[in-house]
Amino acid sequence: MDTASPGFVSVRELGERVRTRQVSPVELAEYFLGRLETHGSAYNAVVTITREWAMEQAHRAEAEIASGKYRGPLHGIPYGAKDLLATSGGIPTTWGAAPLRDQTFDYDATVVQKLEEAGAVLVAKMAMVELAGGLGYSNTNAAFTGPGLNPWDTGTWTGGSSSGSGAGVAAGLVPFAIGSETWGSILMPASFCGVAGLRPTYGRVSRYGAMALSWTLDKLGPLGLTADDCGLVLEAIAGPDALDRTAADRKYRYEVNSGDRFKLAVRKGATDDADYDVQKNFDRAVQHLAQVADIDEVTLPDYPYEAVAMTIFLGESAEALEGLAQNGVIAGLTNPGSRLGHFSKAAVLAKDYLKALRVRGQIARDIDCLLRPYDALMVPTTQSVALPIDVDLERGWSQGRTDIDGAIGNALGLPAVSVPTGFSEAGLPTSIEFLGNAYSENALLSVAHAYQGLTRWHEERPPGVTL
Amino acid sequence: MSDSGIDAREVESRFEMVKALYGPLIDPGDLGTVRNRVETAMRSVAALDSVELDLVAEPFSVFVPESSEG
């Protein structure tokens, strides 16, 4: 193997090393399987290490590349998949839930299939909050694998629900991972773990084979070391799918705009609820971006954003999880809050749900108009840094804070990219979110890529993590 | 109507509905927590009433009839 370790190397760089045969897919697979086996449990990041599957894919990639069939930048690159993506071959897909430890499927999720077509190598199913956090949870111990421990400080939480995907990338266990987001589940762990995260436009990526939590809110997307890596992965997993009628009939090609000056906006009041360190680093990031962008401040129209997103979520997840309430799965979950979270959803009536959908339509038109002149709207990804592992999530977390940006982005199905902006005094990552209109991923990735060209935060590594 | 803008009687009636649906699955000691969650859900529902809509404002997700003929 090349003397340069593949740990904490971007997908783009690893892909180039594979293409030029500085490193082989088999060597990469062995390296990351070894890291997963050695360090995965230190962060409760892994459910299943797919060694046999991975080595088969890696050998196939190696043979293809040797014969001149190079599939592209993900060919031979290992990755982890959140354990709500169906995988065949007897590999369990647990949804993070103890009663489903032995659940298997006889097909692969479309995302897994597309990554196989791109030549990527599945090395692990990554830990997650049970049932994607769809029942609420009262503390961070909300998966049979234990709470997600943050590589920057294992006394803090990774965030959820894509906990293992965030920790896995941050600890150099996988070059990239696939997560899912219904409301915050990609961007929060990306922010808390100090990595890049991309929540695609609703419908950009097929949801076939992913656990359904809320049919009109669920989205799948990548977490990686850089925004650029997220773009490479999105190109591989995006596109129409006959198996998911909501998958948009649009092909996607990742292209970065590096020429024109950007037009950006900051939401008025975006940092009002933020921790001091988050606010300070956000302001500094905006100053950096002023080198490459014209920046306005915008005011959102007055709507009950969170109420809309919450009512839709409650209405849809009430039905999505009903079978699991009736068959006893929910009663067997790890977290006491999760075990109770389903029942109250039945209080949302059909008329409430439809009202929320109607309001969503009105908001979507207004926000589309607001964002149209801009490449991205900027807000802190999360208002705080990673929370203590023993935080009381029902009482001690939000402290009255709102999540307007998360509600807008998820209720309206808008894409967002999160990248690190620095650290708190305690050494925990902070991040900025770029939010845009539907199907504006390339604009968002261009801005994030430009920001990462101006800064080096994405090159920092957790102090306790060794290669 | 309470200070929080939600109708206490409606919260109670929906909580009773939840109990009727799921009572056997809920430990009696947890009913207070479930009731609080019903109230939280009702707060979201009540907040929607601040938005005035015309009847032409249809639900954003419109059902598309299946057709094998495209």
Side-chain angles (χ1 to χ4, degrees):
Chain A
M1 187 183 295
D2 187 278
T3 51
S5 166
F8 295 115
V9 175
S10 70
V11 169
R12 185 174 288 282
E13 171 62 20
L14 285 178
E16 187 58 15
R17 290 187 194 178
V18 169
R19 188 186 69 80
T20 56
R21 305 201 198 173
Q22 296 174 60
V23 65
S24 79
V26 170
E27 288 171 329
L28 280 184
E30 285 286 9
Y31 176 84
F32 285 102
L33 287 166
R35 285 193 63 76
L36 286 157
E37 287 161 353
T38 306
H39 303 292
S41 61
Y43 311 106
N44 295 332
V46 182
V47 179
T48 304
I49 296 173
T50 54
R51 175 171 276 281
E52 193 177 339
W53 173 307
M55 293 313 297
E56 185 182 322
Q57 286 185 322
H59 280 288
R60 193 184 321 138
E62 193 151 313
E64 287 178 347
I65 292 167
S67 68
K69 185 181 179 185
Y70 180 65
R71 292 174 182 262
L74 301 189
H75 204 172
I77 306 299
Y79 78 99
K82 185 174 181 176
D83 203 26
L84 53 55
L85 293 169
T87 42
S88 59
I91 298 170
T93 300
T94 70
W95 301 351
L100 301 176
R101 280 172 192 259
D102 299 323
Q103 177 175 247
T104 57
F105 294 90
D106 60 1
Y107 61 91
D108 296 326
T110 294
V111 163
V112 172
Q113 180 67 37
K114 282 179 174 280
L115 286 168
E116 173 145 3
E117 289 164 9
V121 174
L122 176 67
V123 287
K125 302 291 291 291
M126 308 307 287
M128 57 181 281
V129 173
E130 51 196 357
L131 303 183
L135 299 161
Y137 38 113
S138 50
N139 58 59
T140 62
N141 187 24
F144 74 87
T145 46
L149 305 180
N150 194 318
W152 291 93
D153 176 354
T154 52
T156 66
W157 185 40
T158 53
S161 63
S162 306
S163 52
S165 299
V169 175
L173 308 182
V174 286
F176 75 92
I178 302 298
S180 75
E181 173 153 332
T182 304
W183 187 343
S185 288
I186 291 174
L187 297 192
M188 185 205 293
S191 176
F192 283 4
C193 295
V195 300
L198 166 60
R199 180 189 70 216
T201 305
Y202 176 80
R204 176 69 94 180
V205 177
S206 167
R207 294 174 293 111
Y208 178 73
M211 183 200 113
L213 175 56
S214 183
W215 292 282
T216 73
L217 302 179
D218 296 343
K219 294 147 307 265
L220 302 173
L223 296 91
L225 291 172
T226 66
D228 183 51
D229 282 359
C230 290
L232 293 175
V233 177
L234 181 62
E235 181 169 318
I237 63 176
D241 181 10
L243 298 171
D244 177 1
R245 285 173 42 136
T246 65
D249 189 17
R250 292 169 179 248
K251 291 195 172 173
Y252 172 73
R253 182 170 173 76
Y254 170 50
E255 289 176 328
V256 168
N257 164 25
S258 54
D260 299 335
R261 194 167 170 79
F262 298 110
K263 181 88 172 154
L264 303 175
V266 174
R267 176 172 70 75
K268 185 176 172 57
T271 58
D272 286 356
D273 292 336
D275 288 352
Y276 172 74
D277 289 326
V278 172
Q279 184 177 343
K280 181 184 66 173
N281 294 350
F282 177 78
D283 290 344
R284 184 178 56 199
V286 172
Q287 286 172 12
H288 271 119
L289 282 159
Q291 297 174 47
V292 294
D294 297 320
I295 301 172
D296 293 342
E297 184 177 71
V298 298
T299 301
L300 294 178
D302 186 23
Y303 280 114
Y305 299 105
E306 291 179 293
V308 170
M310 183 55 72
T311 305
I312 294 169
F313 168 73
L314 292 173
E316 294 184 359
S317 61
E319 167 57 12
L321 302 182
E322 175 66 11
L324 300 179
Q326 297 297 342
N327 69 10
V329 167
I330 285 176
L333 294 177
T334 300
N335 191 272
S338 300
R339 293 197 290 270
L340 289 176
H342 181 70
F343 308 119
S344 54
K345 294 176 179 179
V348 175
L349 305 181
K351 70 185 180 75
D352 306 323
Y353 174 71
L354 287 167
K355 175 78 181 278
L357 293 183
R358 295 173 69 211
V359 177
R360 167 158 77 175
Q362 188 159 311
I363 295 175
R365 285 184 286 275
D366 285 358
I367 294 295
D368 182 63
C369 288
L370 182 81
L371 296 182
R372 199 174 298 151
Y374 300 105
D375 293 300
L377 177 72
M378 300 182 289
V379 296
T381 311
T382 52
Q383 304 285 342
S384 75
V385 294
L387 303 162
I389 203 70
D390 59 355
V391 66
D392 181 336
L393 293 171
E394 287 192 338
R395 294 187 179 83
W397 178 18
S398 65
Q399 299 170 334
R401 287 170 169 153
T402 58
D403 184 18
I404 291 171
D405 310 296
I408 291 172
N410 285 289
L412 306 188
L414 304 181
V417 177
S418 175
V419 292
T421 54
F423 298 91
S424 68
E425 286 217 355
L428 295 169
T430 60
S431 291
I432 186 170
E433 172 183 341
F434 302 104
L435 173 73
N437 270 339
Y439 304 108
S440 69
E441 284 90 347
N442 275 343
L444 303 180
L445 289 165
S446 296
V447 175
H449 182 62
Y451 174 71
Q452 295 198 303
L454 296 169
T455 60
R456 303 263 73 89
W457 302 116
H458 55 289
E459 295 176 359
E460 298 285 337
R461 298 294 164 248
V465 174
T466 55
L467 289 177
Chain B
M1 197 73 76
S2 71
D3 290 345
S4 57
I6 55 175
D7 186 329
R9 286 174 306 174
E10 188 153 9
V11 171
E12 285 311 316
S13 65
R14 296 205 193 187
F15 176 52
E16 290 300 322
M17 182 181 67
V18 168
K19 278 200 294 184
L21 283 169
Y22 294 112
L25 300 176
I26 305 173
D27 185 295
D30 291 327
L31 283 171
T33 301
V34 174
R35 191 202 171 283
N36 288 341
R37 292 189 179 199
V38 169
E39 187 168 336
T40 301
M42 294 308 298
R43 241 184 275 282
S44 289
V45 169
L48 299 176
D49 289 336
S50 67
V51 183
E52 291 187 16
L53 297 168
D54 294 329
L55 277 177
V56 293
E58 297 191 10
F60 198 57
S61 296
V62 178
F63 174 70
V64 180
E66 188 78 41
S67 170
S68 57
E69 295 175 3

